[in-house]
Amino acid sequence: MKKILNGILTVLVFPLAILFLLGLALYTPIDYIKYKRSAYYKDRGEKYNWLCASASYLGIYEVIKKHGLPISFYKGEAEDFTGYGFFVYKDVLIVGDLLNLSVDEERKIFTTETDDEYVDIASEVEADIKEVNELLGEDRIKTAAVLVDRDLLEENPEISYEGFELIPLVYSNYLDALRLIVGE
C-alpha cells in the first residue's frame, strides 16, 4: 500500500514541480527585462533582485515617475531589496506594501502577515512612520495613507483608524489611489 501511495504522489508531485520550475525559468527573463526598462532602474541603477519587477514598490514608483506626481521616494542605506523604500507626500507616508491583509472580525481591524503571524496594521504603519522620520532626520511624517483593496474596504466599512487613512486600491491601479492622496 505504501508503495502505491508513493507512486501516486510521485506521479502527481513531480510533474507539478517541473511545471512550476519551468514557469519560473520562463518568467524570470521577462521580469529581468521589465526591471531593466523601468524608471526605477534608470534613476537608481540598483542591481536586479529575483522577481523584483513584480513588487508593489516598483509599480508605485513607475506610476509616480510616469505621471509626474509630487511624491518623493526615500530609501534607507540598510535596505538591500531592490525597490524597497518609502513614498512621502508632504507629511503623509504612503504605505502600499502590506501583505496578505485580512480582517480580525472580533477586534474590527485589518491585520497583515509579519514574521508568520498576523498583526494589526496600525502597529506596522506606526513603525514605518517612525522609521521614515529617523531616515529623514526629522519628525516630519505625521500620518499615513494605506492602500487597501477596495473590495476589502467595501466589505468592512466599520473598520477605520484615527492615525491614518485607508485609500481604496482597485486591481493595483496605483494611479487613481495616488491621485486621491495628492488631490488631483
Side-chain angles (χ1 to χ4, degrees):
M1 181 67 171
K2 191 173 184 178
K3 282 186 176 187
I4 294 173
L5 188 58
N6 283 340
I8 291 172
L9 283 175
T10 301
V11 169
L12 291 176
V13 172
F14 186 71
L16 290 175
I18 295 296
L19 283 173
F20 177 75
L21 293 174
L22 182 62
L24 287 178
L26 292 174
Y27 184 72
T28 298
I30 294 168
D31 190 70
Y32 179 80
I33 291 167
K34 184 178 174 184
Y35 174 69
K36 289 294 185 173
R37 292 180 178 172
S38 72
Y40 185 86
Y41 177 74
K42 290 174 186 166
D43 291 349
R44 305 189 60 88
E46 293 179 18
K47 74 175 192 142
Y48 173 78
N49 283 357
W50 189 53
L51 300 180
C52 69
S54 304
S56 62
Y57 293 101
L58 288 169
I60 293 169
Y61 191 92
E62 291 297 306
V63 168
I64 290 168
K65 290 299 179 177
K66 181 178 179 182
H67 297 280
L69 297 174
I71 298 170
S72 302
F73 176 77
Y74 300 96
K75 183 171 182 170
E77 294 298 319
E79 308 301 342
D80 60 352
F81 186 75
T82 303
Y84 182 81
F86 300 99
F87 297 98
V88 175
Y89 173 69
K90 296 182 179 178
D91 65 345
V92 178
L93 174 65
I94 300 168
V95 181
D97 68 322
L98 295 176
L99 301 176
N100 301 325
L101 281 183
S102 60
V103 176
D104 183 326
E105 297 289 340
E106 278 183 25
R107 299 188 299 165
K108 300 289 186 217
I109 60 169
F110 287 119
T111 60
T112 185
E113 187 175 3
T114 304
D115 298 327
D116 295 329
E117 66 177 304
Y118 282 86
V119 297
D120 185 354
I121 65 170
S123 61
E124 292 297 305
V125 171
E126 290 166 6
D128 284 350
I129 289 173
K130 181 179 179 186
E131 187 176 346
V132 76
N133 278 331
E134 288 173 4
L135 176 67
L136 297 174
E138 60 182 303
D139 196 24
R140 183 173 123 198
I141 306 304
K142 306 294 183 204
T143 186
V146 180
L147 306 182
V148 178
D149 180 72
R150 181 186 68 187
D151 292 340
L152 197 57
L153 286 175
E154 288 176 354
E155 292 168 5
N156 301 282
E158 71 283 358
I159 297 178
S160 66
Y161 291 88
E162 286 188 30
F164 54 90
E165 186 177 0
L166 302 172
I167 304 295
L169 180 65
V170 182
Y171 304 113
S172 297
N173 182 351
Y174 297 117
L175 180 59
D176 288 347
L178 295 173
R179 281 184 172 158
L180 279 174
I181 295 167
V182 300
E184 286 188 8

